[in-house]
Amino acid sequence: PDDQFLPDPTKKNLVILGTGWGAVSLLKKLDTENYNVIVISPRNYFLFTPLLPSCTTGTVEHRSIMEPIRSITRHKKAAVKFYEAEATKIDAERKVISIDDISDVKGASSKTDVPYDMLVVSVGAENATFGIPGVKEHSCFLKEIGDAQQIRKKIMDCVETATFKDQSPEEVERLLHMVVVGGGPTGVEFAGELQDFIDQDIKKWIPEIADKFKVTLIEALPNVLPMFSKQLIEYTESTFKEEKITIKTKTAVKKVTEKTVEAEATGPDGKKFTEVMPYGLLVWATGNAVRPVVKDLMSSIPAQKDSRRGLAVNEYLVVQGAKDIWATGDCAVAGYAPTAQVASQEGAFLARLFNTMAKSEAIENQIHELSSELNLKPGVDAAAVAREIEAHEKQLRRIKDIKPFHYTHQGSLAYIGSERAVADVSWMNGNFATGGGLTYLFWRSAYLSMCFSTRNRVLVVVDWLKSKAFGRDVSRE
Ligand code: FAD
Ligand code: NAD
């Protein structure tokens, strides 16, 4: 009663947790007039993650890849309620979610419960640290806008401190050593963007430290980008060599302190040794871990006890062992990689599923009404009503025949610096592995076309042109 949002009692409450790839793709295609749709997320915008590495150096400005959730919901046919809050607990028994407004400004009510009839969990994942000491305290991650801003500031902080009066050569060397841990696409794309920034801008603006920069990429496995083909892995490694990025493979970080990274490396003779590397900036990109709210839900469902990487779902994305809960994206385990491509296809699938469920429910109600007409109303044309019922039943069978979720892989793309990209693309039933300048143009146009809105597309192009024409902005803020 204290809420302006009055759900329609004839409709089901459909609660969507998150405003990322899975949730927004669902919202875009959902016929919202069929449900009381409530979106809950601590972030009131969608973030186009593929261009997040470009924000760390200012090649793209962060607001260009954000789209306010209200600009999405206001175009929907029926009102969608948005609560900026974090879901802290999902009670699958009582069908209630506890939410907490974690923002700086809080009203008299900041913790409350939201009941649901149907729930979609699309909360993504958090950064994996594997409990390695010092990681949380000393490194930057690269998942959210705030992370990219923090990295951008820290790069310039290291540069300005390195040029401070009377700095010792060892300290200059440390401050200008930028270490990236994790050779997956996040780590590789960030290292490429960083080296571009150093080569194309910082060296020109502050030439006295030009030859002191060093970027090191550390990877525990024998090679970087394990999801790409062998040829593209080799191309990436040789491009990094040209760009003077040092790749240390078979090197697993075990400890992080304020100024050093300690790793266990394996030499060519197979012998293990410990390497200590002083750093100025440390970016940690070792993949995903399950969020606490998801872990908690999993622990309350016996059928989830063997699942480790997230909520195990069936081929209709229904959370195994739960009723009326679906999951998409990085928090769901459906047998696919945790990518935006997968999350957005899953979201679109759920929209089709829910639209169809609402349609078939409406037809079922019509059939029900017609049947009671047949039984209760004297003098109706029984044959005509029976024909109508049959037609409805036929329509219902057709609608209800929903095929399970099927993922179509469009390919993998990654930027590797110095205007080169790698792509493993499926095209006309074949697979193409390409790398180089043309692939870079393809990467740019593909990402541009995937941007959320025309507004985003225009802003990104303007950012690209701006940074090319005037150089990236090296102000520290
Ligand atoms: P997300 O997009 O992470 O969204 C999760 C949402 O849930 C967010 O809105 C978050 O605020 C919200 N949330 C978090 N906790 C809670 C809570 N407790 N309650 C309610 N809401 C919550 N994939 C590709 O396919 N191609 C790429 O080029 C690519 N590039 C990437 C680059 C980077 C730097 C990163 C980090 C990832 C990249 N990915 C890429 C992976 C891709 O971003 C993820 O797979 C995708 O974001 C997963 O979508 P999601 O909806 O599951 O989660
Ligand atoms: P990832 O899981 O793909 O890679 C993390 C890497 O870190 C692994 O190779 C792992 O061996 C390494 N690692 C783990 N612990 C380590 C340690 N202690 N020391 C050294 N190395 C260690 O993570 P990501 O790159 O963040 O990607 C996450 C997901 O997002 C993936 O599914 C990826 O495909 C997707 N993504 C895609 C793109 C793209 O398509 N361009 C870009 C970014 C992310």
Side-chain angles (χ1 to χ4, degrees):
D2 53 350
D3 192 335
Q4 318 91 311
F5 174 66
L6 294 173
D8 178 344
T10 63
K11 293 177 187 171
K12 287 183 173 163
N13 274 6
L14 167 58
V15 175
I16 302 169
L17 299 183
T19 44
W21 279 95
V24 163
S25 145
L26 158 62
L27 203 54
K28 253 170 132 181
K29 295 217 160 72
L30 183 71
D31 295 335
T32 50
E33 61 275 27
N34 296 325
Y35 302 97
N36 297 312
V37 182
I38 303 164
V39 178
I40 299 167
S41 172
R43 200 174 81 183
N44 78 345
Y45 57 87
F46 166 74
L47 170 63
F48 185 73
T49 47
L51 285 178
L52 191 61
S54 305
C55 291
T56 59
T57 58
T59 313
V60 170
E61 291 297 336
H62 63 275
R63 287 202 176 262
S64 307
I65 59 165
M66 293 157 70
E67 185 69 19
I69 197 70
R70 318 275 182 185
S71 91
I72 302 162
T73 55
R74 85 189 166 103
H75 289 117
K76 301 305 293 186
K77 259 198 190 153
V80 172
K81 184 70 205 170
F82 174 70
Y83 292 127
E84 195 188 63
E86 197 177 81
T88 49
K89 182 157 182 74
I90 299 166
D91 187 332
E93 281 284 308
R94 287 170 48 231
K95 291 185 131 182
V96 163
I97 301 149
S98 305
I99 66 168
D100 188 355
D101 172 4
I102 53 158
S103 67
D104 292 339
V105 179
K106 287 193 179 56
S109 139
S110 65
K111 284 187 188 182
T112 185
D113 285 352
V114 178
Y116 67 84
D117 299 302
M118 294 159 75
L119 172 67
V120 180
V121 187
S122 281
V123 297
E126 60 178 30
N127 296 294
T129 63
F130 308 104
I132 297 170
V135 175
K136 278 207 175 102
E137 297 82 345
H138 306 297
S139 36
C140 299
F141 296 108
L142 184 50
K143 198 164 193 64
E144 299 291 344
I145 283 292
D147 299 332
Q149 287 173 302
Q150 192 192 357
I151 293 173
R152 191 173 175 183
K153 189 171 171 183
K154 196 138 188 211
I155 296 169
M156 289 321 298
D157 221 350
C158 286
V159 170
E160 299 300 355
T161 308
T163 53
F164 193 75
K165 191 169 178 293
D166 304 332
Q167 207 68 270
S168 72
E170 298 79 46
E171 193 59 352
V172 172
E173 198 179 320
R174 175 186 76 80
L175 287 162
L176 299 181
H177 186 204
M178 318 253 150
V179 173
V180 185
V181 183
T186 304
V188 165
E189 289 194 321
F190 169 67
E193 293 276 357
L194 179 60
Q195 192 63 43
D196 281 0
F197 184 31
I198 295 168
D199 290 341
Q200 295 165 4
D201 296 301
I202 301 183
K203 283 184 179 176
K204 283 189 208 146
W205 291 65
I206 313 149
E208 65 268 31
I209 50 167
D211 56 346
K212 308 253 170 39
F213 275 103
K214 211 167 98 189
V215 177
T216 303
L217 178 68
I218 303 179
E219 167 57 53
L221 297 175
N223 57 268
V224 297
L225 293 182
M227 68 289 293
F228 281 84
S229 56
K230 194 165 171 275
Q231 173 202 346
L232 291 180
I233 292 172
E234 280 165 12
Y235 180 74
T236 306
E237 292 183 347
S238 73
T239 302
F240 270 22
K241 213 176 224 164
E242 274 174 44
E243 290 169 2
K244 306 220 163 38
I245 297 174
T246 311
I247 299 185
K248 286 185 186 283
T249 50
K250 296 190 192 164
T251 306
V253 173
K254 299 285 179 198
K255 188 180 165 188
V256 171
T257 68
E258 198 191 341
K259 294 180 182 176
T260 61
V261 165
E262 274 181 46
E264 186 184 79
T266 311
D269 54 359
K271 282 210 178 99
K272 290 201 169 24
F273 60 96
T274 301
E275 210 177 342
V276 179
M277 289 163 262
Y279 70 84
L281 170 79
L282 174 64
V283 173
W284 192 266
T286 63
N288 293 343
V290 183
R291 287 199 191 278
V293 67
V294 174
K295 247 190 228 160
D296 180 69
L297 174 63
M298 287 164 70
S299 70
S300 73
I301 305 170
Q304 296 285 334
K305 87 173 184 331
D306 295 328
S307 189
R308 291 281 164 272
R309 286 178 300 112
L311 290 160
V313 293
N314 72 10
E315 71 273 31
Y316 288 91
L317 309 182
V318 173
V319 171
Q320 306 269 17
K323 206 169 168 288
D324 300 323
I325 308 182
W326 290 260
T328 69
D330 287 3
C331 66
V333 179
Y336 309 106
T339 65
Q341 254 189 87
V342 170
S344 65
Q345 289 184 30
E346 288 177 343
F349 170 81
L350 281 191
R352 278 199 306 278
L353 184 75
F354 295 164
N355 293 345
T356 307
M357 278 163 67
K359 252 187 236 157
S360 44
E361 210 165 293
I363 297 174
E364 269 162 1
N365 287 344
Q366 276 170 334
I367 294 175
H368 187 72
E369 268 172 38
L370 286 168
S371 313
S372 36
E373 214 173 279
L374 205 57
N375 298 332
L376 301 174
K377 275 195 191 159
V380 292
D381 180 351
V385 175
R387 270 199 306 279
E388 211 177 321
I389 292 180
E390 198 180 318
H392 278 317
E393 277 172 346
K394 210 164 147 196
Q395 195 187 1
L396 190 63
R397 275 195 297 278
R398 208 183 52 223
I399 287 182
K400 272 197 159 171
D401 184 26
I402 310 168
K403 301 272 177 301
F405 173 69
H406 173 76
Y407 169 64
T408 320
H409 186 59
Q410 314 273 326
S412 307
L413 267 172
Y415 180 60
I416 57 171
S418 57
E419 307 199 340
R420 292 179 207 178
V422 286
D424 264 325
V425 197
S426 341
W427 191 54
M428 292 176 70
N429 296 329
N431 275 320
F432 286 84
T434 75
L438 268 181
T439 315
Y440 166 67
L441 292 179
F442 173 65
W443 173 83
R444 277 205 155 177
S445 46
Y447 277 20
L448 205 56
S449 71
M450 288 187 308
C451 274
F452 187 84
S453 60
T454 309
R455 187 187 72 96
N456 284 153
R457 256 171 239 130
V458 171
L459 292 176
V460 166
V461 169
V462 170
D463 288 345
W464 281 340
L465 292 173
K466 243 172 35 187
S467 55
K468 189 88 190 160
F470 307 113
R472 298 166 184 85
D473 189 344
V474 295
S475 328
R476 190 167 62 86
E477 279 310 321

